[in-house]
Amino acid sequence: MDSPSKTPPEQRANGHGPPGVVHNKLLEQVIRTPDRMPSPQPTHLSVPGGAHSGAHRTLQEEGIGYVAPKFEGKEAQMEQVMDMIEDKGFLPAEFVEQETKWFYNELGIDDMYFQTEGIDAIVSHILSLYAGKIAAYARDDRKLELRLDKEAADHAVYIDTSVPGAAVLEGPRYEQRIDEKYLNGSTTERGYRVESFRSDSRFPGEGEERIRCYFVYQTQFKSPKPSPEETDLEIVGESRFLQKATENTRAIYQEVMNNAVNRAGPVIEVFNMAGRPQEKRLVIAYRQRSAMGIFSALSDLYHFYGLTSTRKYVEQFSNGMTIVSVYLRPIARPKPEHPRIDDGIEQVVKGVSLLYCVPQSKFQGQFAIGSLNLQEAIYAHCVWVFVGHFLNRLGSEYTSLISILDPNNGVHAEILSKMKRRLRMETYTSDYIMEIIARYPELVHALYVNFASTHYLQREQDNFIKTISSRYLEVAQVLSYEELESRIKKTVANPNEQTVFKAFITFNQKILKTNFYTPTKVALSFRFKPDFLPSFEYPQPLYGMFLVISSEFRGFHLRFRDIARGGIRIVKSRNREAYSINARSLFDENYNLANTQQRKNKDIPEGGSKGVILLDFRHQDKAKQAFEKYIDSIMDLLLPPTSPGIKDPIVDLHGQEEILFMGPDENTADLVNWATDHARKRGAPWWKSFFTGKSPMLGGIPHDTYGMTTLSVRQYVEGIYRELGLDPSSVRKLQTGGPDGDLGSNEIILGNEKYTAIVDGAGVLVDPNGLDRQELLRLAKKRVMISEYDISRLSPQGYRVLVDEKNITLPDGEVVDSGMIFRNRFHLNKNLEIDSFVPCGGRPESIDLSSVQDLIVGGKSRIPYIVEGANLFITQDAKLRLEKGGCILYKDASANKGGVTSSSLEVLASLCFDDESFVENMCQKPDGSLPQFYQDYVKEVQATIKENATLEFQAIWREHQETKTPRSTLSDTLSIAITNLDEQLQNSSMWKDEELRRSVLLDALPGLLLDKIGLDTIVQRVPDKYLRSIFGSYLASRFVYQYGSSPGQFAFFDFMSKRKEEMLSAQEKSLPMRSK
């Protein structure tokens, strides 16, 4: 496997990286573990120098670790086989016995095969093998090529030929087929075990080919549904395994199993073989379906280091675990670059951990042929993801166009919007980027070395272990960014290729920290300095950016301030096309969501953040695993290392402690309890405040249970009715997001309008005469979709159209061809007559500048009142168009802030209480009862939500009346004014004024917490940065809500003078100041 790159073979073979700023170890530590379900110890490695290691143990066993039950009818069967072969007449009579006995006795096939297969199949295999020998003899190169397969309902047999130690890149590629057809989908209900043997027998001629046999059997469990924590092999073992495994193998598997169920990542062990110094047994345990494609990828890995396998076994267990056992030895004719077996095995062990994370990277083919080592291939895969998101930018031409066209002109704005979307779709496709990267492995190598020289750290225990990776690092050349740019220009063929590889440099330059070299991980995470984003596309600068990559998903976490909070959502895709669209918009959607969060967080200490996880289109059922890996890998970059060999130090160019505050969002509400508990298990001091929206048993305040988000939305809806003197019961209302969701169900419960239409995931429900309120309440309390609405309660003009229905005739005669299309565009329906529209669900940009024209008739908006409960449902340019048409519209950043207020106060409580008091006052009791403090605190939170929403509603209404500025614009200007003033106040001398500081904190902090804990104790427990944020956000919001976004020159002086007077008055009365 000579590498086509210019790096000497002896350097490339180790598969690792460069020297460094510090002459470090190798990139072998790239063991990320994506599909693994995270834990405090995600992976168990048995390697020299590791925390769990020592010398490999030696197995005292004479033969192999499996002994098939003896097939008593084997001799009689063999006679029948020979008789049938003679009858067919294809094989010369004098060779019949020889070929039959060779097949039965020399290929390493055990009795299980002969007991399972019929005589016809065995005869077919023997004749095919003989035909292959004849064909090989007739070839000039004497190369033997055999390709036999038989696939039955409950088992399969594959026989082929290959050169030991050589990657198989052509032909049927049976290992990939076994992965895709059997192993990737194996579950406890329907799984498959694999046995594979390679024959040592040589064939006539000079070829090095040997026969490899694969036998696949459907699993049969004695106990099909044990507890996931069950480890006893006698209970969870598969019947054939229990029949065939030796006592030695059972003991090994039992130990590995005991470790595996308690870890998130794989358990990896290596054993010496007694009397066979050149053979090792590699044993790997992991959870089913957590490393799809790893069986075939393993072969590429050990072939890279000059090793071949004699036998391989894949066993499934009914507790959801998979254990792979591979017997490895050096190839017969090793190349000069191949390491000795002990070094090679060490690299394989560490490579397995990396492969487990991304078993099949986009550059697996380059790794298989040796043009990239494993770490370079995974690095290239990560940059490919990065480039796909940040290379599809708009460029200077678009910037010039903006300066020429008028964004306030509707036609111009629509042109810009369409061009922006098209440019991002067509500039660089993911396949085109991948082709460019694959074309220049030598550039990938140089760029990877630059990356590793910064982020690879040598462990202390490596000082006395001179691995082949260490030797590689000492000789690799590290190029500066300028030298890399020069080499790129000299190497690539055109400007497009140059642009792609320059993005590699950006990737390397902007990484502040990564878990790429952490010994154990479940996904790869990178913390970027986001100042490379063009300001004309992203005018609000980000404070922090995380990118997380796994084989099942990719995800971002973005925040606008150091102290920030926001939800984590999982995006699913119905098909490959939908996935491509979601992937292109992933970062922009995340940025816009976080920006909206930043604006709606104006009343609270935390700035805005958001996390978005996009499931790969092949892994739409992996939401739980993806979420767990996303969280655990980000925590790798937040927590200091505590377990040498498991969580080693990383290079931290950010150099500051970071704490993230997260919460639930789409498809994650039922996962936050795990995240909280996981943070506690990993020793995070902030575990109580890490996630909001968790179960009351963990001290959480569920938004849906108490209608926190809806409480804020309702203040805006009711505020409009109040200001206009409307009777809500006469207001015709449309709602997207149905009774099954948090916001939608609570909006139905708290609202009292005349519902005429509801749209949700199931379809569309309409009744111009008003939907039955009691039936809607039933659905909302049950949390089910409109598909369960009793349609007998509809009037003659009412109807329901579900997404999977076609050719439906409506009461007015209109024919609906597709229920899906009808649902997706119903909010734009020109026949819809409504007064109020409250989006409580739906995809971002459901109304944009193009589609908003359907809501404008004669220059006027067809919908008089809109309160945007769902985030980003309407684009900003579409909002402005609606307001120009007379619509009274309050945007998401203002209306949808009840949840963030609740979450912020939940975080505050967790920071104020110590662990014991937190459990006593904020956690549900084992009998299901809630502490009295918790119940009272929830009511105070609800009151605060209403107060903040009312203050902002009135401020926007008042300023609009005075200035006629669109309300959606005022929402942003108020937010910006508050956040800017907030930051100024935090860093001003006012914070140092102890009397003022205490006065503001007494007003800003919840009264119940002050009464229960006391201000002095709270100040001791809550981080200083967080207290500063409380101080700044409270003063800034109260000032702006009172004086507006553009106050007079002396307004703040007047505001603070009044506050000083109130402080003096409170002191004179010896009362704590609690004015709101």
Side-chain angles (χ1 to χ4, degrees):
M1 280 187 298
D2 293 330
S3 169
S5 76
K6 298 178 181 179
T7 306
E10 65 274 10
Q11 298 174 25
R12 302 304 299 269
N14 64 64
H16 303 296
V21 174
V22 183
H23 279 333
N24 2 62
K25 211 179 99 174
L26 66 173
L27 315 189
E28 61 201 12
Q29 299 304 83
V30 187
I31 30 186
R32 73 171 190 170
T33 340
D35 208 328
R36 192 73 287 145
M37 300 186 335
S39 80
Q41 293 182 314
T43 307
H44 174 96
L45 298 179
S46 175
V47 296
H52 303 288
S53 71
H56 300 316
R57 286 172 287 170
T58 299
L59 298 181
Q60 301 295 333
E61 71 182 2
E62 294 292 327
I64 63 175
Y66 285 75
V67 177
K70 187 175 181 181
F71 176 30
E72 298 296 343
K74 187 174 181 179
E75 291 297 325
Q77 184 195 64
M78 187 161 58
E79 290 295 330
Q80 291 178 287
V81 167
M82 287 190 286
D83 289 344
M84 183 176 285
I85 292 174
E86 285 185 350
D87 290 343
K88 289 184 177 295
F90 177 74
L91 195 63
E94 61 271 24
F95 292 151
V96 171
E97 182 176 2
Q98 172 186 319
E99 292 297 318
T100 303
K101 288 186 176 180
W102 173 77
F103 183 82
Y104 268 77
N105 301 323
E106 300 296 327
L107 295 187
I109 303 174
D110 67 21
D111 284 9
M112 183 73 73
Y113 163 82
F114 297 105
Q115 194 165 5
T116 304
E117 291 297 331
I119 291 174
D120 287 345
I122 297 173
V123 168
S124 174
H125 291 158
I126 292 173
L127 291 177
S128 297
L129 286 170
Y130 182 75
K133 292 179 185 179
I134 298 298
Y137 185 77
R139 291 173 56 140
D140 291 337
D141 58 5
R142 297 291 193 269
K143 185 176 181 180
L144 178 68
E145 283 190 354
L146 272 171
R147 302 287 187 267
L148 306 178
D149 59 79
K150 175 193 173 184
E151 296 173 344
D154 60 350
H155 73 283
V157 178
Y158 304 95
I159 300 176
D160 73 348
T161 51
S162 61
V163 176
V168 178
L169 303 175
E170 299 175 348
R173 305 188 74 186
Y174 288 136
E175 291 194 352
Q176 283 79 4
R177 190 162 165 180
I178 291 169
D179 263 335
E180 293 167 6
K181 188 163 186 177
Y182 299 104
L183 297 181
N184 288 352
S186 281
T187 64
T188 55
E189 289 78 23
R190 186 181 180 88
Y192 296 89
R193 61 185 300 273
V194 178
E195 300 181 11
S196 177
F197 315 98
R198 183 180 289 283
S199 169
D200 282 331
S201 299
R202 293 183 61 85
F203 296 97
E206 301 176 0
E208 298 182 33
E209 292 80 11
R210 298 289 185 273
I211 289 180
R212 165 74 77 179
C213 304
Y214 301 91
F215 305 98
V216 183
Y217 302 100
Q218 189 172 334
T219 52
Q220 299 174 1
F221 294 113
K222 291 168 53 179
S223 303
K225 292 186 178 180
S227 163
E229 288 75 39
E230 179 60 64
T231 60
D232 189 342
L233 295 186
E234 292 297 330
I235 296 176
V236 301
E238 198 270 342
S239 58
R240 288 187 182 87
F241 166 78
L242 294 174
Q243 278 184 320
K244 299 177 69 172
T246 63
E247 288 302 315
N248 208 6
T249 290
R250 287 189 184 213
I252 292 170
Y253 279 33
Q254 187 65 69
E255 179 182 341
V256 169
M257 178 68 75
N258 293 342
N259 284 327
V261 295
N262 294 319
R263 287 184 168 81
V267 170
I268 307 168
E269 293 277 8
V270 177
F271 300 91
N272 298 318
M273 304 301 293
R276 288 174 277 173
Q278 288 297 95
E279 188 169 27
K280 309 285 183 182
R281 185 175 183 182
L282 175 67
V283 181
I284 310 162
Y286 53 90
R287 298 187 186 277
Q288 289 170 352
R289 303 182 70 235
S290 66
M292 296 165 73
I294 197 169
F295 178 68
S296 55
L298 270 174
S299 298
D300 293 335
L301 177 61
Y302 54 71
H303 290 161
F304 191 89
Y305 297 106
L307 301 172
T308 186
S309 63
T310 55
R311 300 182 302 285
K312 296 191 279 193
Y313 302 88
V314 181
E315 300 292 355
Q316 309 292 349
F317 296 88
S318 60
N319 63 349
M321 301 303 300
T322 298
I323 297 182
V324 179
S325 186
V326 185
Y327 291 78
L328 295 172
R329 66 185 183 189
I331 59 176
R333 299 179 184 177
K335 297 179 180 179
E337 66 266 24
H338 288 149
R340 62 188 184 87
I341 186 168
D342 287 335
D343 286 342
I345 288 291
E346 181 182 349
Q347 305 309 313
V348 168
V349 168
K350 295 176 180 179
V352 166
S353 299
L354 179 56
L355 274 181
Y356 173 79
C357 302
V358 189
Q360 299 289 337
S361 78
K362 290 295 181 181
F363 302 96
Q364 182 71 17
Q366 283 70 28
F367 169 57
I369 64 174
S371 62
L372 294 176
N373 65 42
L374 181 61
Q375 284 66 34
E376 291 166 347
I378 298 297
Y379 164 78
H381 178 92
C382 293
V383 185
W384 169 76
V385 172
F386 176 86
V387 170
H389 288 291
F390 299 112
L391 204 63
N392 291 338
R393 302 302 92 191
L394 307 179
S396 57
E397 293 84 357
Y398 182 80
T399 311
S400 301
L401 198 58
I402 288 178
S403 64
I404 297 171
L405 298 180
D406 178 12
N408 296 317
N409 180 300
V411 176
H412 291 187
E414 185 172 356
I415 291 172
L416 287 169
S417 177
K418 288 181 178 178
M419 287 194 64
K420 185 176 184 180
R421 186 174 290 111
R422 176 172 292 182
L423 284 168
R424 286 182 171 172
M425 288 174 57
E426 298 178 356
T427 313
Y428 290 87
T429 67
S430 61
D431 287 344
Y432 181 46
I433 295 168
M434 186 171 64
E435 289 171 9
I436 291 173
I437 296 172
R439 204 173 292 152
Y440 299 99
E442 68 277 12
L443 286 181
V444 173
H445 170 66
L447 289 155
Y448 167 73
V449 167
N450 173 276
F451 162 79
S453 68
T454 299
H455 294 284
Y456 182 77
L457 272 179
Q458 181 172 343
R459 298 182 299 163
E460 290 183 9
Q461 55 265 48
D462 293 331
N463 289 339
F464 60 90
I465 300 175
K466 200 69 170 178
T467 66
I468 57 174
S469 300
S470 302
R471 296 195 292 271
Y472 171 65
L473 290 169
E474 290 174 354
V475 298
Q477 181 185 6
V478 182
L479 299 180
S480 67
Y481 293 126
E482 293 76 16
E483 291 170 327
L484 283 170
E485 193 162 341
S486 174
R487 178 171 292 190
I488 289 168
K489 289 179 181 178
K490 294 176 182 176
T491 305
V492 299
N494 58 58
N496 286 350
E497 294 178 346
Q498 184 176 331
T499 300
V500 168
F501 278 101
K502 286 179 72 173
F504 273 71
I505 295 178
T506 301
F507 179 86
N508 288 3
Q509 282 180 318
K510 298 305 177 180
I511 295 174
L512 296 177
K513 48 187 173 179
T514 176
N515 70 348
F516 197 90
Y517 297 112
T518 300
T520 60
K521 54 188 154 292
V522 293
L524 288 176
S525 56
F526 304 88
R527 163 61 158 98
F528 290 96
K529 184 178 182 181
D531 60 356
F532 63 90
L533 297 172
S535 59
F536 69 87
E537 285 189 70
Y538 306 102
Q540 196 74 8
L542 286 168
Y543 177 86
M545 176 198 298
F546 290 86
L547 169 62
V548 185
I549 298 171
S550 157
S551 58
E552 297 84 13
F553 73 93
R554 63 181 67 177
F556 286 98
H557 186 274
L558 309 177
R559 74 190 201 272
F560 283 91
R561 285 167 62 176
D562 185 10
I563 301 293
R565 73 159 312 282
I568 309 299
R569 67 169 51 182
I570 295 175
V571 176
K572 298 182 178 182
S573 309
R574 297 177 66 90
N575 49 45
R576 185 189 289 262
E577 182 183 1
Y579 172 78
S580 298
I581 294 170
N582 290 334
R584 283 196 296 268
S585 62
L586 175 63
F587 181 81
D588 284 353
E589 178 178 331
N590 198 157
Y591 177 90
N592 291 332
L593 287 167
N595 200 10
T596 299
Q597 194 81 21
Q598 168 76 358
R599 295 194 298 271
K600 74 168 70 167
N601 285 16
K602 61 182 78 67
D603 302 314
I604 63 175
E606 303 96 338
S609 71
K610 208 74 171 182
V612 178
I613 300 167
L614 174 64
L615 295 178
D616 185 88
F617 69 89
R618 295 161 297 187
H619 299 282
Q620 293 298 299
D621 59 341
K622 296 287 188 65
K624 181 175 184 290
Q625 294 94 324
F627 177 82
E628 291 178 354
K629 289 188 286 186
Y630 173 90
I631 295 299
D632 190 74
S633 58
I634 286 180
M635 288 178 68
D636 285 344
L637 305 185
L638 302 179
L639 292 172
T642 55
S643 306
I646 296 176
K647 295 297 181 187
D648 282 349
I650 61 174
V651 175
D652 185 355
L653 301 180
H654 182 57
Q656 300 176 34
E657 181 186 14
E658 291 191 283
I659 302 175
L660 301 184
F661 300 108
M662 302 179 179
D665 205 307
E666 290 180 12
N667 298 311
T668 62
D670 59 341
L671 301 173
V672 297
N673 287 349
W674 175 89
T676 302
D677 190 54
H678 185 62
R680 180 181 60 80
K681 289 179 178 178
R682 285 200 59 173
W686 28 259
W687 69 269
K688 301 192 300 296
S689 59
F690 184 42
F691 254 87
T692 56
K694 51 190 177 289
S695 162
M697 294 184 68
L698 294 169
I701 302 176
H703 297 173
D704 54 351
T705 303
Y706 299 104
M708 298 302 193
T709 306
T710 311
L711 282 173
S712 178
V713 174
R714 290 304 301 173
Q715 302 314 301
Y716 288 84
V717 174
E718 292 170 3
I720 293 173
Y721 301 160
R722 183 178 59 250
E723 292 291 339
L724 299 179
L726 300 175
D727 175 8
S729 63
S730 65
V731 174
R732 298 168 299 176
K733 180 177 178 181
L734 162 67
Q735 179 178 310
T736 57
D740 61 314
D742 166 13
L743 185 53
S745 63
N746 283 303
E747 178 67 18
I748 290 172
I749 291 170
L750 296 178
N752 56 348
E753 298 95 332
K754 178 182 178 180
Y755 273 93
T756 56
I758 293 181
V759 181
D760 69 4
V764 177
L765 181 67
V766 179
D767 195 330
N769 299 312
L771 294 165
D772 187 278
R773 176 155 180 77
Q774 293 307 311
E775 180 65 1
L776 288 179
L777 288 173
R778 183 183 70 83
L779 300 186
K781 291 175 180 178
K782 192 179 175 182
R783 285 293 179 87
V784 294
M785 290 192 276
I786 59 168
S787 53
E788 295 196 24
Y789 186 91
D790 181 0
I791 57 174
S792 68
R793 295 173 179 262
L794 292 172
S795 72
Q797 290 75 39
Y799 59 87
R800 183 182 65 192
V801 178
L802 302 180
V803 292
D804 55 355
E805 293 181 328
K806 297 181 184 298
N807 299 320
I808 303 297
T809 302
L810 303 183
D812 64 358
E814 179 186 354
V815 177
V816 175
D817 296 323
S818 165
M820 176 69 72
I821 296 174
F822 186 70
R823 189 279 307 268
N824 291 347
R825 291 189 53 82
F826 183 79
H827 58 282
L828 304 170
N829 194 305
K830 294 184 178 180
N831 297 323
L832 188 63
E833 294 183 358
I834 56 172
D835 304 308
S836 175
F837 178 25
V838 182
C840 294
R843 294 297 295 152
E845 301 185 7
S846 291
I847 301 176
D848 59 16
L849 194 58
S850 298
S851 60
V852 76
Q853 303 306 321
D854 293 334
L855 299 177
I856 306 295
V857 177
K860 293 187 177 182
S861 170
R862 293 196 293 110
I863 305 176
Y865 326 119
I866 298 177
V867 176
E868 188 183 26
N871 287 324
L872 304 179
F873 190 85
I874 311 172
T875 62
Q876 180 66 12
D877 45 14
K879 290 186 180 84
L880 294 174
R881 185 68 188 87
L882 286 166
E883 290 204 66
K884 186 178 180 181
C887 178
I888 297 175
L889 189 152
Y890 281 89
K891 68 186 298 182
D892 50 356
S894 293
N896 184 326
K897 66 176 184 176
V900 302
T901 304
S902 174
S903 295
S904 179
L905 293 172
E906 181 184 327
V907 167
L908 181 60
S910 67
L911 293 172
C912 291
F913 282 114
D914 59 26
D915 286 3
E916 183 178 351
S917 299
F918 182 77
V919 171
E920 177 186 350
N921 292 284
M922 289 296 294
C923 294
Q924 188 180 53
K925 307 302 181 187
D927 63 2
S929 63
L930 292 166
Q932 187 60 47
F933 180 88
Y934 180 97
Q935 298 177 53
D936 295 338
Y937 192 65
V938 166
K939 293 176 182 176
E940 186 168 9
V941 171
Q942 292 175 321
T944 303
I945 289 171
K946 291 181 179 180
E947 178 188 17
N948 287 344
T950 300
L951 285 172
E952 183 173 358
F953 172 85
Q954 292 172 342
I956 293 174
W957 188 277
R958 183 178 61 249
E959 192 157 344
H960 172 76
Q961 296 292 94
E962 294 172 357
T963 67
K964 304 305 179 185
T965 303
R967 292 179 178 86
S968 55
T969 300
L970 288 174
S971 176
D972 291 340
T973 55
L974 280 174
S975 297
I976 293 169
I978 291 172
T979 53
N980 288 343
L981 180 58
D982 174 8
E983 292 176 2
Q984 294 172 21
L985 292 173
Q986 288 186 47
N987 299 309
S988 72
S989 59
M990 294 173 65
W991 171 252
K992 298 177 182 178
D993 184 335
E994 183 177 358
E995 186 179 343
L996 175 62
R997 182 172 69 241
R998 291 181 65 86
S999 167
V1000 172
L1001 292 177
L1002 284 169
D1003 275 358
L1005 294 169
L1008 282 171
L1009 286 177
L1010 289 167
D1011 294 340
K1012 189 76 174 179
I1013 303 171
L1015 179 59
D1016 291 336
T1017 304
I1018 290 174
V1019 169
Q1020 291 173 6
R1021 291 175 177 170
V1022 178
D1024 182 73
K1025 288 193 294 186
Y1026 200 89
L1027 290 172
R1028 282 176 180 262
S1029 294
I1030 293 174
F1031 174 86
S1033 63
Y1034 183 83
L1035 275 182
S1037 62
R1038 269 41 187 181
F1039 170 72
V1040 173
Y1041 287 154
Q1042 183 176 347
Y1043 289 87
S1045 58
S1046 303
Q1049 185 175 0
F1050 300 103
F1052 190 73
F1053 175 79
D1054 182 54
F1055 172 77
M1056 290 305 300
S1057 296
K1058 290 179 180 177
R1059 180 162 192 90
K1060 289 280 189 180
E1061 291 175 7
E1062 293 177 6
M1063 287 169 54
L1064 290 172
S1065 176
Q1067 288 174 359
E1068 291 173 0
K1069 296 177 181 179
S1070 299
L1071 294 173
M1073 186 179 165
R1074 293 277 178 81
S1075 65
K1076 296 293 183 181

